Amino acid sequence: MQNSLFQTSKFANRLLIYLIAVTSFGLVIMLVIVFQFTKGIIQDDVVAHLASVAQSTVNQIETYVLERKKNVTSLANAPDVIEAFEKYIAGFDRGMDSPAYMAADRKFRQYLTYYNEQFGYQDLYLISKQGDIVFTVAKKDDFGENLKTDKYRNSELALVFEKTTKRLKTVVSRFRYYHPSQGPAVFIATPTYKKGAFIGVVAFQIRAQELYQLSQDYTGLGETGEVVLAAKQGGIVQFVAPLRHDPGAAFQRTVKLDSLLASPIQNAVQGKSGFGTALDYQGTEIIAVWRYLPILRWGMVAKINSSEAYASLEILWILSLITCGITLIGIVIVAIFLSRTITAPILKLIRVTREVARGNLNISADVERTDEIGELSRAFDQMVKDLEANRQKLEQQTRKIEMENRLKTGQTGLSNILRGEQEVETLAQKVMNYLADFLGFQVGELYLLDSDVLMRVADYASKSSDRQPTHYKMGEGLVGQVAFEKRPIFFSQLPEEHFSMTINTGIGEFKPQSVLGLPLLYDSQLIGVLVLGNPGEFTDDEIAFLVQANESIAIAIHSSQSRRQMQQLLEFQKNNRA
C-alpha cells in the first residue's frame, strides 16, 4: 500500500511538472507569435497613417507657396504697379520727403496696401534695380535702405533680390530670421518690366503664422504626435516652426547633423525620404515618416511616440500575462489532486493548449466534470475566450485605424481635386462628383453666397423642378437655416414630403430619407452651403470626414473667387486706362 501511494505521488508530481512545462511553453510561444505579429500590423498601420499626414502637409505647403508665387507674378505685370514703380523711383531719387514722392505715395499707397491686406501678406516691397527699397506697406526699419550697400545687404531679402535680378524669374527665399520684422520671414520676389526693360523687383513677405498653421493640424496624431519642420544651417538642423510640445522651438531649438537624436529630421533636411523608428529631439523613441520640401528647402517629419502607438499592444500583453499566470496557478492547484483516472482529460487539455499555441482560439476543452479537472477545463476555456476577445478588440482597433487612413486618403484625394486654378462652377462640380464617388451618397447640391442670397452652382443626381428652388435667402429652408446658424444640420428617417430634393436615377426618381446640411466657412465667414442626401443613414465617419473637408472646400472656393475678383479688377483697370 505504501508503495502504491508512493507511485501515485511520484506520478502526480511528474504530471504536475509536465503540465506546467507543456502549458507554459505553449502559452509563451503563442504570446510571442501574437505579440510580434500584432506589433508588425500596428507599425504598418501607424506608418501608413503618418505617411498620409506627411503627404497631406507637403501638398498644403506646396500649394500655398505656389499660389503666392502666382499672385506676385500677376501683380508685377499689372499696369498700375508698373506706373507706381516709375513714380516711386522718380520720387525716391529726389528724396522721400520730395513732392514727387509724396504725390506718388498718395496715389498708389492705398491700392498697394489693399492688395497686400486682401491676400494676407505681412508686407509688400517695391525695389529698384539699383537695390533701393522705394516702397513698403509696413514702413519698417528697412524702408529706404539699399540692399546692395546698406546694413541689410546680407539679409534674406537682399539675397532673394539678388537672385531675382540675376535669374529674372520668380524666386522664393529661405525661411530665416529677419531683423526689421523681429521674427522669421520668407520672401517671394519677381521681376517687373516696362516695354521689355527690367525696372525693378516686387517682393512679398509671407506671414510666418500662416505657414505654421499648415503643420499644426494634429488630427489623428493622438496625444504625442506632431509635425516637425526644420532647415539645414551649415552643420546643424534648425527648427523653423513651433512644436506641439515646445511652442518656442522656432529658430531656438537646433540639432547637430551627426547627433544620435532626431535622425529623421536630419535625413529630411538632407533631401531624403523614409520611415522607421528612432529617437526624437527629446530622446523619446518614436515612429516617424520624413519628407523633403524642395520649394522651401525644408525637412518635415510626421511622428508619434512608440509608447502611444503600441499602447494597445502593451495592454494585450499585460492581460495575456495575467491570464496565463492565472491559468498556470489553476493548473498547479488542480494537478495536486490528479490521479490515474484523470490522465485522459489532462491529455485532452494538453492537445487543446497546443492548438491555442498554434493560434487556434476557436477551440475549447469541454470536459464535462464537476471536480477540479472540470474547473481547470472551464478556466482554460475562459482564458481562450479572453484571448479571443482581446484579438477581436485588436481587430476592431485595426479597423478603426484603417477607417482613419481611408478618411485621410479621402482628404488627400480632395486636396488633389482642389489644387490648381479653376473656375468656381467647375471646382464646385468637381467637389460634388468627388464626394459622391468617395462617400457614395445619392444626391447633393452646393450653394454659394452671393449678396445675401444662396445660389445653387453644382449638384449631383438632383432633379430640378418648378417646385424646387435654385436659390434661398438667409434662414429660408434647410439651406438658408444652415447658412444662418453656420453649423451642420442633420435630418433622418423623415417622410418623403419633408424633402424637396429628388434623386434622379434615369429610370425613375425618389426622395432621400436622410439629409445633411454643412456650412462652408472661411475664417468664420460664410462661403456657401453643402447639402447631401441619402436613402439610408450617414455614418459618423462620413459626417466627421465632411466636417473636416468643408474647411478645405471653403478655402479652395474662396481662392477661386479671389482670383476671379483679381482678374475682374485688372480688367476693369485695363478698360479704364484704355
Side-chain angles (χ1 to χ4, degrees), residues 188-360:
I188 300 179
T190 193
T192 299
Y193 302 88
K194 181 179 181 181
K195 296 181 180 180
F198 173 64
I199 61 173
V201 171
V202 176
F204 281 98
Q205 181 179 348
I206 294 177
R207 296 184 186 276
Q209 191 60 36
E210 293 191 4
L211 287 173
Y212 293 161
Q213 290 176 353
L214 297 176
S215 66
Q216 292 177 343
D217 182 3
Y218 306 125
T219 303
L221 292 178
E223 298 294 329
T224 61
E226 62 181 350
V227 175
V228 180
L229 297 174
K232 181 181 177 183
Q233 302 288 346
I236 65 171
V237 176
Q238 186 173 57
F239 292 67
V240 298
L243 298 172
R244 185 178 189 178
H245 308 295
D246 185 4
F251 294 90
Q252 299 298 320
R253 181 181 286 275
T254 60
V255 176
K256 293 183 178 179
L257 279 175
D258 58 353
S259 173
L260 297 177
L261 301 179
S263 60
I265 196 64
Q266 295 182 47
N267 291 329
V269 298
Q270 296 180 83
K272 301 175 183 178
S273 298
F275 64 89
T277 58
L279 297 179
D280 71 354
Y281 54 88
Q282 294 178 323
T284 303
E285 182 178 306
I286 59 170
I287 301 176
V289 172
W290 53 93
R291 297 284 186 270
Y292 181 65
L293 285 77
I295 196 167
L296 291 174
R297 297 177 287 280
W298 283 358
M300 187 203 66
V301 173
K303 69 181 185 71
I304 189 172
N305 288 4
S306 296
S307 58
E308 182 176 6
Y310 295 130
S312 60
L313 184 63
E314 293 178 0
I315 295 174
L316 176 62
W317 179 253
I318 293 173
L319 292 176
S320 299
L321 289 177
I322 293 174
T323 303
C324 291
I326 294 173
T327 302
L328 287 175
I329 292 174
I331 291 173
V332 171
I333 295 174
V334 172
I336 296 176
F337 300 99
L338 291 177
S339 66
R340 295 181 182 273
T341 58
I342 62 172
T343 301
I346 291 176
L347 293 177
K348 184 177 180 181
L349 282 173
I350 293 174
R351 288 194 297 271
V352 172
T353 301
R354 288 173 176 167
E355 285 294 317
V356 173
R358 296 188 186 98
N360 182 9

Side-chain angles (χ1 to χ4, degrees), residues 504-570:
N504 187 0
T505 66
I507 59 174
E509 59 185 61
F510 60 97
K511 295 185 178 181
Q513 293 185 358
S514 298
V515 172
L516 175 63
L518 287 169
L520 301 178
L521 302 176
Y522 176 78
D523 282 345
S524 299
Q525 176 185 351
L526 181 69
I527 301 297
V529 173
L530 178 64
V531 182
L532 305 177
N534 233 352
E537 296 285 344
F538 286 97
T539 67
D540 292 340
D541 292 326
E542 290 172 342
I543 295 175
F545 171 79
L546 289 169
V547 171
Q548 294 176 12
N550 77 2
E551 183 178 1
S552 299
I553 297 171
I555 292 173
I557 292 176
H558 181 267
S559 297
S560 180
Q561 292 174 333
S562 297
R563 284 193 298 272
R564 176 179 287 180
Q565 292 173 0
M566 182 181 69
Q567 292 172 356
Q568 293 173 349
L569 176 61
L570 293 176

Side-chain angles (χ1 to χ4, degrees), residues 148-160:
K148 292 183 178 181
T149 60
D150 293 342
K151 59 183 177 180
Y152 295 116
R153 61 184 178 276
N154 295 321
S155 67
E156 201 61 33
L157 180 58
L159 293 176
V160 77

Side-chain angles (χ1 to χ4, degrees), residues 63-77 115 121 170 188 190 204 419-422 563 566:
T63 300
Y64 177 85
V65 176
L66 290 175
E67 286 287 341
R68 294 304 180 269
K69 289 179 68 175
K70 292 178 181 177
N71 290 343
V72 173
T73 303
S74 298
L75 179 66
N77 295 321
Y115 190 95
Y121 294 109
T170 304
I188 300 179
T190 193
F204 281 98
R419 185 182 302 173
E421 296 185 1
Q422 304 179 60
R563 284 193 298 272
M566 182 181 69

Side-chain angles (χ1 to χ4, degrees), residues 84 86-89 91 99-109:
E86 291 184 312
K87 298 296 184 181
Y88 274 116
I89 291 173
Y101 187 90
M102 295 176 67
D105 204 44
R106 285 192 301 271
K107 182 175 182 181
F108 295 104
R109 173 167 290 277

